[in-house]
Amino acid sequence: MYKEESIKISKDDFHKFKLLSPLLNIHDIPKQLYFKAKNEDILNNFLNKTWDNQEYRILTIVGSRKNSSYSKEALDYLLKNLSGEKIIIISGLALGIDSLAHTGAIKNNFPTISIPGSGLDKNHLYPATNVNLSEEILETENTLISEYEDNRKSELYMFPARNRIMAALADAVLIVEAGEKSGTLITARLAMEYGKNVGVIPNNIFAEGAKGSNQLLKDGALTILDEEDILQMLNISKDGQGLLSLDFKNKKDTDKLKNILENLGDNERNVLEKIILSGNIEKDALLQELENEFEMNYTDSLVALMSLEIQGFIKEELGEIRIVK
């Protein structure tokens, strides 16, 4: 069994831990955080985001408390297909999508962190209907976090407040489903403000419970259709052989890059090399540079970009070209 009393870490010590250091970059830094885990070794894994010397990425998953059967099916599908990836799932222990995110993480062997809007004592945990789920999270070697003392009862302001923590800790945020006035939208907006990738599962345009999440797509959030889209949000290469996984200072990885480039046509090679050197780059600026440097005309450049996107090396989003594989 886990210890009944939580372990407290103060703001002054956040910089010591990979998990917590992102909190130092937000406006309203928590003064402290309280943690529950089965033992200190488990907690240390989470604090360092590392298991068996391998660092994990963090995906925060949030959505409606009154989720549709469609959103449950979509989330189950994505988590099943992501199984085996080095991902920590964060959610807020609320009813609906949050609960499904935690149970799906446990089912598919992802580490999971719950951040409820209350203290962590089971007599004060909110919602009370999810006390059993909180026990399951701890018994399956996962953890709970709160900025409130264990015996602190839930109040309305605590829920939007904890959303900033879920957004700040994440490498990316997945919005499964959200209505027009859903608190989920607070998490999404904060994540965007913090510079995190935000992805949304598209939904029926007539569904009242998805008007908020569909609006996020309209406002420029990433469209999530399969597990590959989530891996791209997290900058994870599925087979570990893609461009994002290469260290260009390492000769072995340099040889891999050389092999990739040798299998491309001249125009594709020029375009990909330019993007690798430039990093994320505005499409118009890239086209101009290709014309100036390689005398590639507009049509040839577009054809090369389309070919690289079909092969999965790059992606265009909101007028920007970036490496995704």
Side-chain angles (χ1 to χ4, degrees):
M1 287 292 290
Y2 62 91
K3 295 179 180 179
E4 285 298 324
E5 288 189 5
S6 296
I7 296 173
K8 176 183 174 181
I9 298 178
S10 69
K11 177 176 69 173
D12 292 341
D13 291 324
F14 286 179
H15 69 281
K16 298 177 181 178
F17 306 105
K18 289 180 181 177
L19 176 69
L20 305 182
S21 55
L23 292 170
L24 298 174
N25 298 322
I26 67 175
H27 176 67
D28 188 12
I29 304 171
K31 294 180 180 179
Q32 69 281 311
L33 288 175
Y34 296 88
F35 297 79
K36 274 195 177 182
K38 204 170 182 181
N39 57 57
E40 289 191 13
D41 288 339
I42 292 169
L43 180 56
N44 286 333
N45 287 339
F46 279 98
L47 289 172
N48 294 301
K49 296 168 57 175
T50 303
W51 283 258
D52 298 324
N53 296 317
Q54 298 186 75
E55 187 169 342
Y56 279 53
R57 305 286 283 173
I58 293 182
L59 178 67
T60 288
I61 300 177
V62 288
S64 173
R65 285 173 170 77
K66 298 179 179 179
N67 63 282
S68 65
S69 58
Y70 161 77
S71 63
K72 178 184 184 304
E73 183 179 1
L75 181 57
D76 287 345
Y77 166 81
L78 290 170
L79 292 178
K80 179 181 177 181
N81 287 345
L82 285 168
S83 183
E85 299 294 340
K86 296 172 182 61
I87 298 172
I88 302 168
I89 304 296
I90 287 182
S91 200
L93 199 70
L95 300 175
I97 294 301
D98 287 21
S99 297
L100 293 172
H102 292 307
T103 55
I106 293 168
K107 180 180 178 181
N108 292 286
N109 298 310
F110 294 109
T112 188
I113 298 172
S114 176
I115 308 180
S118 68
L120 299 180
D121 181 88
K122 63 183 179 182
N123 294 316
H124 298 88
L125 197 70
Y126 187 90
T129 49
N130 271 349
V131 167
N132 288 341
L133 176 56
S134 73
E135 297 278 353
E136 184 180 4
I137 288 169
L138 293 168
E139 289 301 324
T140 52
E141 301 190 351
N142 294 295
T143 190
L144 277 72
I145 301 176
S146 176
E147 66 179 309
Y148 307 110
E149 294 182 352
D150 287 352
N151 62 357
R152 185 70 180 274
K153 291 184 178 180
S154 174
E155 297 183 48
L156 281 177
Y157 76 88
M158 293 180 179
F159 297 101
R162 66 87 188 272
N163 290 351
R164 81 192 192 286
I165 299 174
M166 294 199 294
L169 297 184
D171 293 299
V173 174
L174 175 64
I175 309 298
V176 179
E177 184 178 49
E180 249 180 330
K181 298 181 180 180
S182 172
T184 297
L185 303 182
I186 298 173
T187 308
R189 301 297 181 189
L190 285 170
M192 291 176 178
E193 180 182 322
Y194 300 156
K196 310 299 176 80
N197 283 331
V198 175
V200 177
I201 299 174
N203 207 321
N204 184 343
I205 63 171
F206 301 111
E208 289 291 329
K211 282 192 172 182
S213 48
N214 282 342
Q215 182 63 45
L216 286 173
L217 286 172
K218 189 175 179 181
D219 292 342
L222 303 175
T223 303
I224 302 301
L225 300 180
D226 56 29
E227 71 279 7
E228 292 288 346
D229 291 331
I230 293 177
L231 293 175
Q232 288 172 14
M233 275 208 307
L234 292 167
N235 286 336
I236 295 174
S237 175
K238 190 168 179 62
D239 58 9
Q241 304 299 315
L243 297 178
L244 283 173
S245 67
L246 300 184
D247 177 3
F248 298 131
K249 296 179 181 178
N250 180 297
K251 184 182 184 304
K252 189 175 181 180
D253 281 359
T254 302
D255 289 342
K256 288 181 183 178
L257 174 61
K258 183 179 179 181
N259 184 59
I260 290 171
L261 294 173
E262 284 177 348
N263 287 299
L264 297 174
D266 290 343
N267 286 345
E268 293 170 338
R269 187 183 309 115
N270 290 337
V271 172
L272 189 56
E273 285 181 332
K274 192 68 182 175
I275 297 170
I276 290 171
L277 289 171
S278 303
N280 293 0
I281 184 171
E282 294 291 330
K283 183 178 179 180
D284 290 343
L286 174 62
L287 292 173
Q288 187 62 56
E289 289 186 24
L290 292 171
E291 181 180 354
N292 294 341
E293 191 169 337
F294 302 109
E295 298 184 352
M296 289 177 62
N297 63 44
Y298 184 81
T299 301
D300 287 344
S301 296
L302 287 182
V303 170
L305 284 170
M306 185 178 297
S307 175
L308 291 171
E309 186 162 7
I310 290 170
Q311 293 178 69
F313 290 112
I314 66 171
K315 191 167 187 176
E316 178 185 351
E317 289 171 344
L318 301 177
E320 184 177 73
I321 307 295
R322 64 185 180 92
I323 298 288
V324 295
K325 181 178 178 181

